[in-house]
Each structure stands twice: as structure tokens, then as C-alpha cells.
Amino acid sequence: MAPLLRLVAITLALIALSLCNLSNDDIDKVGKQVSNNRRNEITWRQALGYQECEAFMPEMRPSLGNKAQQPKLLSDICSKYECPQYKALNITGCGFGAREMYSAGNWVSTGYDMKNKASSKKAYWELRKYMRGENEANERLPMTAPVLTSVYLDLETLQPLETAYKSFYLPSSSPLTPLNPALSIDPTYDNVVYYRAFPGPDYPTEEEKAEEFERLKKAITDAGLPFYPYWMMSASYTRPGHGRQRWEAIYVAQ
């Protein structure tokens, strides 16, 4: 055997031997360390998808405590789950990003009582049942991202209307009809949205979501961009309780 090939063979044998001597816990630790190193290389701008305003940075907000972590990368999420199609737009300003959304796919939606937490959970599980086969073809559909919640405000009082809507994305242009009459199929339209990403916690409260919408509203207004203030959307891209989270507050551009 040539000296170089012999050296390579010996090296590979030593690596294999060292891995054999590692416990499963040791291997898990190595994997987590590699994952952490990759995560540490990601900047806040990459994680958010836009330049954060200095006043909004986590270190400027002590109330975040141990929640001051980056939201999960959208590209990582959408490599695992199918997401709505969009193009990132360049904007001036800080504290939010902009996307041009394409009219591809549909949404399956259902309404629920804003004041009833149990009603919100029931709406989510009714949508999951549709994905699990409660449709005209009894076909199980792969989970997509995000789970979208839409809240509409009264035009005069600016208070939330009683009924909100929860939706799952359907990439098909010919979606299956739900068996549940409380569910509807809604098309996706071409539009531009402004969004603000935040990392959670796993289950952000309505107050925490409201804070992010206020920051989003201020950032858009400071940038001098018109938007529709009576339609608030929050998008959950990740499974609560399973690793790094990503939530987004969204307004539609006028």
C-alpha cells in the first residue's frame, strides 16, 4: 500500500475507534456543540431577516431575561415544511422586514372566539383534523408553516372584533374540501407584507404579541410606509416546546 493511502487508512481507523469509544451521550454532546457553533455564527440580522432598531435590541430590553435569543432561521424552517412563496424586498428603515407574497396555494381557515382560549385551541385542532384526513379524499396532508392567526379591528374603536381566524397553509392549487362545515378554503393573494420576527417564548401571551405589534407599527410609521392597521396577523412557524422558536407579527401594506 502506498504511504499516503496507508496514512489515510490509519487515520480513518483511529477516528472509527474513537467514535466506538464514545457513549451515546458523548455523541449527542458533540452534535449539540456543532449545532451551537453554527448558531453562534448567525447574526441577529440573518436570524430576523432585517436590520433591528437599536432601541428594540434584546440587550436594550432587560425584561426579556433569558428569552433574549435569536428566532429560528426561516430558511431552516421552510427546508423542512412547505411555506408560502415570497420574495424578500429591500427597504429603508429598521425593526421590520418586507416580503412580496405570491398568489400560490390556499389556506384552510376557521373562526374562533377571541375571548375564549379554549375556542382558539379547538380551532387549531379542527384544522389539524383536516390535515390528518378529515377531507373529501380522506387524505393525510403534510404539515406546513406557518400557522396563521388573523385579528380584525373595529374601524372606529380600533378594538379587536369578537371573531378571529386561524389558518393552515395549503400549497395545492386544488385543495381538498373539508368535511367540517366550519372550515373554509381561502385563496392566497398577491400582496406586500411587513413583518417583525421574535423568538417566543413557546407560548407568547397576548400582551407579548401586542408589544411586538406596537414595535412593528412604530418601525413602519418611522419608515414612512403606508399599511393597513385594521388587520393584524401573527404567524407561528415552529412547534412550541421543541427548540428555538419563530413567531412573526404582520401587517399588510397599502
Side-chain angles (χ1 to χ4, degrees), residues 96-98 192-196 216 220 225-227 249-253:
F96 72 105
V192 172
V193 299
Y194 302 130
Y195 72 94
R196 176 170 174 77
L216 176 58
I220 299 172
L225 297 172
F227 67 99
I250 300 171
Y251 279 120
V252 177

Side-chain angles (χ1 to χ4, degrees), residues 120-158:
S120 175
K121 290 183 178 180
K122 182 176 184 294
Y124 173 84
W125 285 110
E126 292 299 330
L127 293 170
R128 283 299 299 268
K129 289 177 184 177
Y130 168 85
M131 303 296 282
R132 290 177 175 178
E134 286 195 8
N135 51 62
E136 61 178 334
N138 296 317
E139 181 179 332
R140 191 179 182 94
L141 304 174
M143 191 60 184
T144 59
V147 176
L148 193 68
T149 300
S150 297
V151 175
Y152 297 90
L153 306 184
D154 185 276
L155 299 181
E156 295 182 359
T157 66
L158 298 183

Side-chain angles (χ1 to χ4, degrees), residues 95-234:
F96 72 105
R99 299 184 184 119
E100 182 180 357
M101 308 302 298
Y102 300 134
S103 57
N106 293 270
W107 297 84
V108 57
S109 307
T110 189
Y112 68 93
D113 185 352
M114 271 280 292
K115 298 178 181 179
N116 188 332
K117 191 172 183 180
S119 178
S120 175
K121 290 183 178 180
K122 182 176 184 294
Y124 173 84
W125 285 110
E126 292 299 330
L127 293 170
R128 283 299 299 268
K129 289 177 184 177
Y130 168 85
M131 303 296 282
R132 290 177 175 178
E134 286 195 8
N135 51 62
E136 61 178 334
N138 296 317
E139 181 179 332
R140 191 179 182 94
L141 304 174
M143 191 60 184
T144 59
V147 176
L148 193 68
T149 300
S150 297
V151 175
Y152 297 90
L153 306 184
D154 185 276
L155 299 181
E156 295 182 359
T157 66
L158 298 183
Q159 293 301 306
L161 299 180
E162 192 171 297
T163 301
Y165 296 87
K166 207 169 289 290
S167 307
F168 285 7
Y169 176 63
L170 301 174
S172 172
S173 59
S174 301
L176 300 172
T177 301
L179 297 182
N180 185 345
L183 273 56
S184 62
I185 300 296
D186 304 312
T188 300
Y189 297 102
D190 288 336
N191 55 38
V192 172
V193 299
Y194 302 130
Y195 72 94
R196 176 170 174 77
F198 56 108
D202 289 348
Y203 294 96
T205 65
E206 293 305 317
E207 290 75 18
E208 288 171 320
K209 291 181 184 179
E211 287 179 3
E212 296 302 332
F213 273 105
E214 284 301 314
R215 294 186 180 99
L216 176 58
K217 186 184 299 184
K218 182 179 187 323
I220 299 172
T221 301
D222 288 349
L225 297 172
F227 67 99
Y228 189 70
Y230 308 108
W231 181 13
M232 304 163 63
M233 291 181 285
S234 60

